[in-house]
Amino acid sequence: QSVADRFGRISPDELLEEQREVYDLIKERGKVTPAEILNRFGMREGDLRQIFIVLRRLKLVKGQEIDGEICYVPYEYQGQGGE
């Protein structure tokens, strides 16, 4: 099975530990600001950006404007906001 065949079909169990922790937090809360993630895990902004890129590419999370603030939400999120 090629990487292209697997792309987008990764399970959260296959994520790196930091990626999984961020994903789990977003799934648990439904929406989280980048600042909340940085404070919770004590990571640098650049590290979070790299984690978000991976999670977004895998269609696990996305950015969403909610009440004028950018939040990270589960990819299937359909709530209120800047839509």
Side-chain angles (χ1 to χ4, degrees), residues 11-32 37 40-41 51 55 60-61 74:
S11 81
D13 295 338
E14 296 178 77
L15 297 171
L16 298 176
E17 184 176 351
E18 280 188 327
Q19 295 168 342
R20 191 178 62 252
E21 288 174 349
V22 170
Y23 174 67
D24 288 345
L25 179 67
I26 294 167
K27 285 290 281 186
E28 175 186 310
R29 293 201 188 166
K31 65 175 183 176
V32 185
I37 296 170
R40 168 80 176 260
F41 298 111
I51 289 170
L55 297 177
L60 295 173
V61 302

Side-chain angles (χ1 to χ4, degrees), residues 3-10 57-60:
V3 173
D5 290 338
R6 289 194 60 219
F7 192 73
R9 288 187 226 143
I10 192 169
R57 188 175 294 150
L58 297 172
K59 298 187 177 187
L60 295 173

Side-chain angles (χ1 to χ4, degrees), residues 59-78:
K59 298 187 177 187
L60 295 173
V61 302
K62 64 183 178 181
Q64 177 76 41
E65 186 177 335
I66 300 172
D67 298 326
E69 186 172 37
I70 296 298
C71 295
Y72 294 161
V73 298
Y75 194 79
E76 61 277 2
Y77 180 84
Q78 298 291 325

